[in-house]
Amino acid sequence: MNSVKALARPEILALQAYSSARSLAPGTGILLNANENPWPPADDQGLELNRYPDPQPQELKQSLADLYQIPDDHLLLTRGSDEGIDLLTRAFCRAGHDQVAICPPCFGMYEIAARIQGAAVLNFELDADRDFLPDWRALSTSGAKLVFLCSPNNPTASLLPKKEVLNLCRDLRDRAIVVVDEAYIEFADARSLTDQIAANDNLVILRTLSKAWALAGARLGVLIAQPGIVRLLRKIIAPYPLPKPTVARVSAALSASGRQRMLQQRDQLIQERQRMAMRLQDCPEVISVFPSAANFLLVRVDNAPALMRTAHAHGILLRDQSNQPGLAHCVRISIGAPEQNNALLELMENPA
Ligand SMILES: *Cc1c(COP(=O)(O)O)cnc(C)c1O
């Protein structure tokens, strides 16, 4: 924690967190302490939406701690991983001073969060010819305060080798926080790095319920780190980040039957990914299909805008990646349900 303290913005370290009514006293008894309405709204469905929610609901936190096999004081529940990215940037980067390292092509929110905070962005581009692996040596000497890695990476679908990530953590100890965004790890043939948190006080893992768990609309992300970082970020998170309906629906999804459902869908999506990769490879306009450890495929085609247009004309939306560094002519295709995937195959196997 000492090393992490030295990295955090001093004004955040010094900040006394806002004390909400719910954080000062439990939400039981005659509640005249939070200026709430005493009566639930119409059709409340037992949620008591007239009352503020628990800032970090213990039961849900425990379920997620069990799921990720990490003590519950290592978790911060956030409004999607997007909020985790924002909190990290605000807690560690002084505007006009500190830098964030990213490895494009990558998820766009790392750069957005950095720019909003006034942190400079250092780009360490990934190259398809090097299997989209970062220049580890350059990353370890970049001087950035925060390094954002993503594994499997969006949009390249590539996985980072555990050994190199851990070497980077060690190299950057006392100098930078290494954030590994594992939004798609459920789809990979690899384990999460969560079990490395204990040995690395500068490692932060981002997990999300938005992808494999089918809860993108609920907005729940989980930031995993040593308790010192979790406590630091709790100072700057909104007082009540988690709406009660979100907590209720996510908790239900994590039940034993919900877990079964997730695993079954995940397996089906992986199967579909393999089927799509094979079939797309043989499509006349496809140059290459990159290996994928996620629930999408990155595909290089003859003419990305033309494919986007044809697909769109048939009501199919794809994501053009051809403006991303190193991804000329590339399109990202999310793996859908079999009949959705078939609709796209139909189109690409029989071009006009
Ligand atoms: C989809 C995605 C997320 C998830 O963000 P949420 O805010 O949790 O929905 C995080 N990181 C990456 C790289 C993603 O592609």
Side-chain angles (χ1 to χ4, degrees), residues 79-82 107 110 150 154 181 183-184 208 210-211 219-221:
R79 287 169 291 185
S81 290
D82 289 336
F107 190 45
Y110 314 137
C150 187
N154 176 10
D181 186 340
Y184 300 97
T208 179
S210 292
K211 306 284 158 61
R219 310 306 304 133
L220 194 91

Side-chain angles (χ1 to χ4, degrees), residues 119-170:
V121 176
L122 304 175
N123 290 303
F124 296 86
E125 287 184 13
L126 306 176
D127 185 343
D129 294 335
R130 290 205 324 261
D131 296 329
F132 296 121
L133 292 174
D135 182 341
W136 298 105
R137 182 184 297 264
L139 273 178
S140 71
T141 54
S142 75
K145 204 68 159 303
L146 271 183
V147 178
F148 282 103
L149 302 175
C150 187
S151 178
N153 185 40
N154 176 10
T156 60
S158 51
L159 199 63
L160 293 176
K162 171 176 168 175
K163 185 164 153 266
E164 311 284 358
V165 176
L166 294 178
N167 279 342
L168 184 70
C169 288
R170 265 169 236 132

Side-chain angles (χ1 to χ4, degrees), residues 8-16 93-95 235:
R9 284 170 57 203
E11 56 273 38
I12 304 297
L13 284 174
L15 183 72
Q16 179 82 41
C93 295
R94 293 164 297 174
K235 289 185 173 193

Side-chain angles (χ1 to χ4, degrees), residues 39-51 244:
W39 300 291
D43 194 21
D44 184 59
Q45 299 174 12
L47 287 171
E48 295 190 41
L49 290 176
N50 54 316
R51 300 294 178 190
K244 287 181 175 180

Side-chain angles (χ1 to χ4, degrees), residues 64 68 75-78 205-207 209 220-224:
L64 289 162
Y68 298 137
L75 301 187
L76 183 67
L77 313 193
T78 59
I205 309 275
L206 299 176
R207 301 292 298 263
L209 282 281
L220 194 91
V222 186
L223 181 146
I224 308 176

Side-chain angles (χ1 to χ4, degrees), residues 32-308:
L32 304 179
N33 62 344
N35 297 349
E36 297 153 333
N37 189 312
W39 300 291
D43 194 21
D44 184 59
Q45 299 174 12
L47 287 171
E48 295 190 41
L49 290 176
N50 54 316
R51 300 294 178 190
Y52 281 102
D54 188 337
Q56 291 284 300
Q58 187 50 41
E59 241 176 84
L60 176 56
K61 197 150 79 167
Q62 191 56 55
S63 302
L64 289 162
D66 295 343
L67 177 68
Y68 298 137
Q69 302 187 320
I70 192 94
D72 69 348
D73 61 353
H74 287 54
L75 301 187
L76 183 67
L77 313 193
T78 59
R79 287 169 291 185
S81 290
D82 289 336
E83 183 171 46
I85 294 163
D86 180 55
L87 294 174
L88 288 162
T89 310
R90 285 193 284 138
F92 288 100
C93 295
R94 293 164 297 174
H97 264 275
D98 291 319
Q99 301 166 319
V100 166
I102 63 173
C103 302
C106 63
F107 190 45
M109 286 309 295
Y110 314 137
E111 175 163 1
I112 300 283
R115 295 208 179 282
I116 291 171
Q117 176 60 18
V121 176
L122 304 175
N123 290 303
F124 296 86
E125 287 184 13
L126 306 176
D127 185 343
D129 294 335
R130 290 205 324 261
D131 296 329
F132 296 121
L133 292 174
D135 182 341
W136 298 105
R137 182 184 297 264
L139 273 178
S140 71
T141 54
S142 75
K145 204 68 159 303
L146 271 183
V147 178
F148 282 103
L149 302 175
C150 187
S151 178
N153 185 40
N154 176 10
T156 60
S158 51
L159 199 63
L160 293 176
K162 171 176 168 175
K163 185 164 153 266
E164 311 284 358
V165 176
L166 294 178
N167 279 342
L168 184 70
C169 288
R170 265 169 236 132
D171 286 349
L172 289 178
R173 185 139 198 268
D174 301 328
R175 292 194 284 141
I177 303 289
V178 176
V179 184
V180 183
D181 186 340
E182 293 186 337
Y184 300 97
I185 193 74
E186 289 91 345
F187 301 102
D189 192 10
R191 283 169 53 110
S192 166
L193 287 178
T194 302
D195 59 358
Q196 300 299 318
I197 295 272
N200 294 279
D201 68 356
N202 60 340
L203 174 62
V204 176
I205 309 275
L206 299 176
R207 301 292 298 263
T208 179
L209 282 281
S210 292
K211 306 284 158 61
W213 286 93
L215 286 161
R219 310 306 304 133
L220 194 91
V222 186
L223 181 146
I224 308 176
Q226 287 194 11
I229 293 184
V230 171
R231 280 196 302 271
L232 179 78
L233 299 178
R234 276 204 71 174
K235 289 185 173 193
I236 59 174
I237 197 171
Y240 303 109
L242 309 176
K244 287 181 175 180
T246 292
V247 173
R249 300 302 285 272
V250 173
S251 301
L254 294 174
S255 65
S257 65
R259 285 179 199 216
Q260 280 298 318
R261 186 184 159 89
M262 183 283 272
L263 292 174
Q264 184 252 321
Q265 288 181 353
R266 180 199 60 178
D267 291 347
Q268 192 179 5
L269 287 169
I270 291 173
Q271 249 178 36
E272 280 293 290
R273 176 183 80 203
Q274 283 156 353
R275 181 175 77 95
M276 288 293 283
M278 303 261 286
R279 294 276 291 270
L280 287 170
Q281 227 133 37
D282 293 333
C283 289
E285 289 163 286
V286 171
I287 296 169
S288 58
V289 180
F290 292 95
S292 172
N295 65 338
F296 56 85
L297 290 169
L298 184 70
V299 179
R300 185 163 270 151
V301 296
D302 286 332
N303 186 336
L307 173 61
M308 294 290 299

